[in-house]
Amino acid sequence: MAVMLVILPSICLITSIFYGIRNGFDFWYILIVAIMFTPTLFIFYDSSAWVYIIGYAIVALIGVLIGLPFRKR
């Protein structure tokens, strides 16, 4: 449970920050994060984990927004 609530969102946040620094804001990145999490629901989790798709998309959005000010022009 700690993996899904702490470790994976932390990894998502860190990679999103680096993505924001390198590429700036990109809506497609946030959408792809949500889409790529979807197959794990059927493999590892049950149907109650659907809400995490939105959660990971929000974490990715926050990470990209944190990385934006550090972007080189």
Side-chain angles (χ1 to χ4, degrees):
M1 189 66 147
V3 171
M4 191 166 180
L5 294 175
V6 178
I7 296 173
L8 291 178
S10 299
I11 293 170
C12 181
L13 181 69
I14 291 168
T15 57
S16 297
I17 290 171
F18 285 127
Y19 185 88
I21 291 171
R22 185 167 183 160
N23 298 318
F25 182 79
D26 189 9
F27 178 74
W28 290 108
Y29 174 75
I30 299 163
L31 185 65
I32 288 172
V33 167
I35 290 171
M36 289 185 70
F37 181 73
T38 303
T40 64
L41 294 175
F42 304 111
I43 298 170
F44 300 110
Y45 310 114
D46 58 358
S47 62
S48 66
W50 280 99
V51 71
Y52 289 110
I53 294 173
I54 299 167
Y56 281 103
I58 291 171
V59 168
L61 174 67
I62 291 170
V64 169
L65 292 177
I66 290 173
L68 272 178
F70 302 107
R71 184 169 188 247
K72 296 179 183 176
R73 296 181 186 232

